[in-house]
Amino acid sequence: MKGQGSAKERAAILIEALPYIRAFFGKTIVIKYGGHAMVDPALKEAFAQDVVLMKYVGINPIIVHGGGPQISRVMERMGIRPVFVEGQRVTDEETMSVVEMVLVGTVNKDIVGLINRHGGRAVGLSGRDGDLIQAEKMKIYRYSGQDRPPEIIDIGRVGKVSRVNPQVLQSLEEGGFIPVIAPVGVGPEGVAYNINADLVAGAVAGELLAEKVIYLTDVAGVCDETGRLIPSLSLQEVEDLLQAGVAKGGMIPKLKSARKALTRGVKKAHIIDGRVPHALILEIFTDQGVGTEIIP
Ligand SMILES: Nc1ncnc2c1ncn2[C@@H]1O[C@H](COP(=O)(O)OP(=O)(O)O)[C@@H](O)[C@H]1O
Ligand SMILES: CC(=O)N[C@@H](CCC(=O)OP(=O)(O)O)C(=O)O
């Protein structure tokens, strides 16, 4: 938000925000904070300020963070080459330790510290805490020609969400805390699974029937085949983009996650540019369309 300017300008900004504050009061908004969006220290500060402001005006923000680039950097330092299949990291046992160490040990605590420094009360969790994110092994099916069964690709300790336990999040909300969730899930035998953070965000939003799920990433939004930003998409158009292969790599789990959340009753999903300072506040409290909105 414009912090400077005359008192009149600042008052005008607040007055403009009022209808949105009223509309979202008491509502849950799930924010996926992508690893690519958390590179610049000034942007990270702005993100933390936005989250704290949301909480102050009576919104219930829940953060699900990524950290893909941060994991890859540590893997490369250890001499392990990161490999992705359809936007999912191939995760063997050794990689799983790195994933947990980086996501739960470093990135999660960094975000929690940042929010708390700005006056919020954040609590960091992994999906293993309180059985928050229950998972099962993900299989990837690849088309292998007409009249042939699809090829099944095993990508190791990668999970998909089977159930979200809302109790932990409800208790934190009652206490006035801001949950910050690392996307590591727990399987039936207590084993940890690496889950794409977009999928966790969509599942959490769906379980809590959130008002919105917002994905902060490193592009302006979803782009068409010519690279132009698409401001609004219906679920059918999302399907078409996925089928046509226009949405690739990291955009695939975002769209699939948004589709799942909306199918479960979440009203809207937004994919917005985390490189823009205060993108969250612009999206929630102003009329400016930022990024791509996805509606049922
Ligand atoms: N149609 C598309 N529109 C926009 N971005 C796309 C599209 N298809 C693939 N992408 C890629 O998706 C990336 C965002 O996903 P990802 O790298 O996983 O980011 P994050 O760390 O924020 O989750 C973009 O940087 C872009 O390269
Ligand atoms: C299975 C899988 O791919 N998990 C992701 C989890 C982190 C993530 O999703 O981070 P971003 O949101 O920054 O991409 C990974 O290992 O990179």
Side-chain angles (χ1 to χ4, degrees):
M1 243 192 313
K2 288 174 233 160
Q4 290 84 32
S6 69
K8 205 169 160 187
E9 279 167 353
R10 292 206 300 272
I13 291 169
L14 280 175
I15 289 165
E16 192 195 327
L18 255 179
Y20 299 95
I21 294 174
R22 207 177 298 132
F24 295 124
F25 186 83
K27 305 269 168 67
T28 295
I29 297 186
V30 176
I31 301 150
K32 153 67 198 317
Y33 189 30
H36 281 113
M38 52 174 96
V39 281
D40 180 89
L43 282 175
K44 282 165 66 176
E45 299 281 332
F47 166 80
Q49 287 167 345
D50 290 0
V51 170
V52 173
L53 176 65
M54 286 168 73
K55 192 73 177 174
Y56 272 142
V57 299
I59 298 171
N60 178 32
I62 295 182
I63 318 300
V64 176
H65 66 83
Q70 292 79 352
I71 299 168
S72 296
R73 257 200 309 276
V74 175
M75 287 177 70
E76 276 155 8
R77 252 188 266 139
M78 294 169 68
I80 315 168
R81 192 171 63 91
V83 178
F84 289 86
V85 175
E86 294 192 11
Q88 310 283 333
R89 184 186 309 274
V90 177
T91 308
D92 61 12
E93 296 298 310
E94 193 182 11
T95 304
M96 190 63 224
S97 321
V98 179
V99 167
E100 248 188 317
M101 180 179 76
V102 175
L103 292 183
V104 185
T106 308
V107 178
N108 188 278
K109 297 309 150 210
D110 185 33
I111 299 169
V112 166
L114 208 59
I115 293 175
N116 290 350
R117 214 157 30 75
H118 284 280
R121 293 201 301 152
V123 171
L125 302 155
S126 102
R128 300 176 85 175
D129 293 297
D131 279 345
L132 172 60
I133 309 294
Q134 292 157 37
E136 59 192 62
K137 189 174 162 71
M138 176 184 272
K139 289 185 193 128
I140 291 192
Y141 294 90
R142 189 172 277 168
Y143 179 74
S144 42
Q146 233 179 357
D147 305 328
R148 297 175 68 180
E151 182 192 356
I152 300 174
I153 305 169
D154 185 348
I155 50 173
R157 287 268 286 273
V158 174
K160 59 178 186 178
V161 181
S162 53
R163 187 174 171 261
V164 175
N165 176 2
Q167 278 173 335
V168 191
L169 301 175
Q170 284 153 358
S171 308
L172 290 175
E173 187 193 350
E174 280 159 23
F177 295 101
I178 301 170
V180 178
I181 305 169
V184 171
V186 60
E189 273 86 44
V191 72
Y193 279 104
N194 180 15
I195 312 180
N196 179 285
D198 298 326
L199 300 182
V200 173
V204 169
E207 180 63 37
L208 298 177
L209 276 184
E211 194 66 15
K212 290 183 182 215
V213 51
I214 302 175
Y215 304 84
L216 274 170
T217 184
D218 67 340
V219 279
V222 185
C223 298
D224 65 16
E225 57 284 1
T226 67
R228 207 163 345 147
L229 175 72
I230 309 171
S232 185
L233 282 170
S234 66
L235 279 180
Q236 184 53 54
E237 287 165 328
V238 164
E239 212 57 60
D240 297 343
L241 283 182
L242 286 168
Q243 289 292 329
V246 173
K248 300 190 235 352
M251 195 48 73
I252 298 173
K254 278 182 228 317
L255 292 180
K256 286 188 173 171
S257 151
R259 178 178 67 187
K260 187 167 178 191
L262 264 62
T263 310
R264 290 195 64 182
V266 174
K267 297 207 181 95
K268 258 188 187 183
H270 295 264
I271 297 176
I272 66 172
D273 195 343
R275 300 166 305 176
V276 175
H278 299 292
L280 260 184
I281 289 303
L282 288 173
E283 200 298 303
I284 297 169
F285 294 132
T286 74
D287 273 334
Q288 299 180 27
V290 283
T292 302
E293 65 164 18
I294 304 170
I295 42 179

